[in-house]
Amino acid sequence: MRLANEYAEVTVEAVTTRNGVRLRIASPHSGREILLCPLELETLTWQDHDLFSRLLETPHGPEH
């Protein structure tokens, strides 16, 4: 699946690994990707919008 708007684009797909199914989220523009297990995805749903706002203040880390 491809999700995009005027600011960003990501691809999302389920992949099978030796440790089970993971969700791969990739950014074609930056070349970055992450594999998330079901528990990691669930923990994201526990967070509030403030956490994501703070994370996006320095999306590439504080060293950039």
Side-chain angles (χ1 to χ4, degrees), residues 42-61:
E42 182 181 0
T43 61
L44 289 175
T45 68
W46 304 340
Q47 309 308 314
D48 60 23
H49 289 265
D50 292 337
L51 171 73
F52 295 107
S53 294
R54 288 192 313 272
L55 290 173
L56 290 172
E57 287 175 5
T58 55
H60 302 291

Side-chain angles (χ1 to χ4, degrees), residues 5 14 29 32 35 43 53 60:
N5 65 16
H29 176 73
R32 293 176 178 247
L35 293 174
T43 61
S53 294
H60 302 291

Side-chain angles (χ1 to χ4, degrees), residues 5 7 10 18 21 23 27 30 48-49 54:
N5 65 16
Y7 304 108
V10 295
R18 291 182 294 164
V21 176
L23 188 68
S27 170
S30 70
D48 60 23
H49 289 265
R54 288 192 313 272

